Amino acid sequence: MERSAEQVAADHLAAVEGGDPVAMAADYAADAVLERPGDRFEGHAAIEAYFRTVPERLAGATVVFDGLVVDGDVATFRWHLEGLPEGAAPVAGTDTCVVEDGLIVHQRVRLDATDF
Protein backbone atom coordinates (compact mmCIF):
# COMPACT_ATOMS: atom_id res chain seq x y z
CA MET A 1 0.00 0.00 0.00
CA GLU A 2 1.25 3.46 -0.91
CA ARG A 3 2.22 5.71 2.00
CA SER A 4 0.36 8.97 2.50
CA ALA A 5 2.24 12.28 2.60
CA GLU A 6 1.70 12.28 6.37
CA GLN A 7 3.23 8.81 6.74
CA VAL A 8 6.17 9.65 4.45
CA ALA A 9 6.88 12.79 6.49
CA ALA A 10 6.59 10.91 9.79
CA ASP A 11 8.93 8.18 8.51
CA HIS A 12 11.40 10.79 7.29
CA LEU A 13 11.41 12.70 10.59
CA ALA A 14 11.98 9.43 12.47
CA ALA A 15 14.90 8.59 10.14
CA VAL A 16 16.46 12.01 10.74
CA GLU A 17 16.04 11.61 14.49
CA GLY A 18 17.69 8.18 14.20
CA GLY A 19 20.66 9.66 12.32
CA ASP A 20 20.73 6.96 9.63
CA PRO A 21 21.58 8.48 6.21
CA VAL A 22 20.36 5.42 4.30
CA ALA A 23 17.00 5.51 6.09
CA MET A 24 16.77 9.28 5.49
CA ALA A 25 17.34 8.83 1.75
CA ALA A 26 14.93 5.88 1.52
CA ASP A 27 11.97 8.30 1.54
CA TYR A 28 13.03 9.94 -1.77
CA ALA A 29 12.11 9.03 -5.34
CA ALA A 30 14.91 8.06 -7.74
CA ASP A 31 14.66 11.44 -9.50
CA ALA A 32 13.90 13.56 -6.42
CA VAL A 33 15.36 17.02 -5.86
CA LEU A 34 16.53 18.38 -2.50
CA GLU A 35 17.15 22.13 -2.44
CA ARG A 36 19.06 23.83 0.35
CA PRO A 37 20.31 27.42 0.32
CA GLY A 38 23.20 27.40 -2.13
CA ASP A 39 22.91 23.67 -2.92
CA ARG A 40 20.78 21.43 -5.09
CA PHE A 41 20.94 17.64 -4.90
CA GLU A 42 19.33 15.78 -7.78
CA GLY A 43 18.58 12.08 -7.68
CA HIS A 44 18.48 9.51 -4.92
CA ALA A 45 22.26 8.88 -4.92
CA ALA A 46 23.12 12.59 -4.55
CA ILE A 47 20.54 12.99 -1.78
CA GLU A 48 21.92 9.98 0.09
CA ALA A 49 25.46 11.36 -0.30
CA TYR A 50 24.27 14.65 1.22
CA PHE A 51 22.64 12.86 4.16
CA ARG A 52 25.92 11.02 4.81
CA THR A 53 27.49 14.44 5.59
CA VAL A 54 24.80 15.45 8.09
CA PRO A 55 26.10 13.69 11.25
CA GLU A 56 29.52 15.33 10.92
CA ARG A 57 28.00 18.71 10.07
CA LEU A 58 25.77 18.54 13.15
CA ALA A 59 28.89 18.14 15.31
CA GLY A 60 26.93 16.63 18.18
CA ALA A 61 23.88 18.91 17.91
CA THR A 62 20.42 17.35 17.72
CA VAL A 63 17.64 18.14 15.25
CA VAL A 64 14.38 18.85 17.07
CA PHE A 65 11.13 18.97 15.10
CA ASP A 66 8.71 21.68 16.14
CA GLY A 67 5.66 20.69 14.15
CA LEU A 68 4.39 18.96 11.05
CA VAL A 69 1.58 20.21 8.82
CA VAL A 70 0.32 18.13 5.90
CA ASP A 71 -1.92 19.62 3.23
CA GLY A 72 -2.70 17.09 0.52
CA ASP A 73 0.62 15.96 -0.95
CA VAL A 74 2.66 18.70 0.72
CA ALA A 75 4.29 18.23 4.13
CA THR A 76 5.84 21.18 5.94
CA PHE A 77 7.83 20.93 9.13
CA ARG A 78 9.72 23.32 11.37
CA TRP A 79 12.93 22.30 13.07
CA HIS A 80 15.78 23.70 15.14
CA LEU A 81 19.09 22.44 16.49
CA GLU A 82 19.78 21.88 20.16
CA GLY A 83 23.15 21.23 21.75
CA LEU A 84 25.08 23.73 19.67
CA PRO A 85 28.38 24.94 21.12
CA GLU A 86 28.10 27.83 23.56
CA GLY A 87 27.95 31.12 21.68
CA ALA A 88 26.97 29.51 18.36
CA ALA A 89 24.27 31.23 16.36
CA PRO A 90 20.86 29.52 16.51
CA VAL A 91 20.07 27.23 13.61
CA ALA A 92 16.46 26.62 12.56
CA GLY A 93 14.37 26.34 9.44
CA THR A 94 11.34 25.09 7.61
CA ASP A 95 11.30 22.23 5.13
CA THR A 96 8.59 21.70 2.54
CA CYS A 97 8.27 18.28 0.88
CA VAL A 98 6.11 17.30 -2.08
CA VAL A 99 5.11 13.63 -1.98
CA GLU A 100 4.02 11.60 -4.99
CA ASP A 101 3.40 7.86 -5.11
CA GLY A 102 4.52 7.47 -1.49
CA LEU A 103 7.94 9.14 -1.91
CA ILE A 104 9.38 12.63 -1.60
CA VAL A 105 9.89 14.09 -5.09
CA HIS A 106 10.93 17.60 -4.07
CA GLN A 107 12.13 19.13 -0.83
CA ARG A 108 13.01 22.76 -0.21
CA VAL A 109 14.88 23.79 2.94
CA ARG A 110 14.50 27.38 4.13
CA LEU A 111 16.81 28.52 6.90
CA ASP A 112 15.87 31.20 9.41
CA ALA A 113 19.46 32.46 9.51
CA THR A 114 22.62 30.34 9.63
CA ASP A 115 23.24 26.81 8.39
CA PHE A 116 24.84 23.95 10.27
Side-chain angles (χ1 to χ4, degrees):
M1 181 173 186
E2 186 177 295
R3 296 180 301 163
S4 67
E6 188 168 8
Q7 186 62 55
V8 171
D11 290 348
H12 184 62
L13 300 185
V16 171
E17 288 172 335
D20 180 354
V22 173
M24 290 181 223
D27 294 311
Y28 291 81
D31 59 350
V33 174
L34 169 59
E35 292 183 79
R36 294 182 47 80
D39 288 309
R40 181 179 172 97
F41 304 94
E42 297 185 35
H44 187 270
I47 292 169
E48 183 176 328
Y50 162 72
F51 281 128
R52 288 185 185 281
T53 72
V54 169
E56 182 178 335
R57 293 176 64 218
L58 286 172
T62 303
V63 179
V64 176
F65 295 104
D66 301 316
L68 170 64
V69 175
V70 179
D71 184 10
D73 290 337
V74 178
T76 303
F77 53 90
R78 292 263 324 139
W79 56 270
H80 71 276
L81 297 186
E82 289 187 354
L84 293 166
E86 188 173 328
V91 179
T94 303
D95 288 22
T96 303
C97 301
V98 177
V99 176
E100 293 178 3
D101 299 323
L103 294 168
I104 299 169
V105 296
H106 187 260
Q107 180 174 355
R108 177 170 287 136
V109 178
R110 291 185 177 87
L111 300 171
D112 292 350
T114 61
D115 202 353
F116 61 95

